[in-house]
Amino acid sequence: DEGWQLIGFTDTIPLESMLALKSIEGSYSQWFGFVNNAWDIHIFSQLPDEDLEPGLGYWIFMTKPSILAALSL
């Protein structure tokens, strides 16, 4: 669905968000999570890319419906 969605990161090692979210590329505009006692905010157009951390949840703003593929490298 469009709007804010809560996702989990399923890999066992940190991975750049653009790779971790590749299956929904073009369907979201930003994400944020609470990492190391601080908010980690990433807006899609900003660089450098930031890692998603294993076992954490993230809020992602979906601009259109899409399906996030689970990862494990």
Side-chain angles (χ1 to χ4, degrees):
D1 291 335
E2 296 177 23
W4 288 105
Q5 304 295 322
L6 184 60
I7 63 168
F9 181 59
T10 58
D11 207 343
T12 58
I13 58 172
L15 185 63
E16 292 178 1
S17 66
M18 291 186 78
L19 294 174
L21 303 173
K22 186 73 172 167
S23 64
I24 58 170
E25 185 176 26
S27 298
Y28 70 96
S29 62
Q30 58 189 313
W31 60 262
F32 70 92
F34 197 72
V35 179
N36 296 323
N37 295 322
W39 288 106
D40 184 14
I41 300 170
H42 181 77
I43 298 173
F44 183 65
S45 61
Q46 294 178 344
L47 294 176
D49 194 11
E50 297 184 36
D51 289 349
L52 295 185
E53 298 289 333
L56 297 181
Y58 295 88
W59 286 100
I60 186 166
F61 190 83
M62 300 298 295
T63 56
K64 61 184 176 184
S66 192
I67 296 174
L68 177 62
L71 291 178
S72 183
L73 296 176

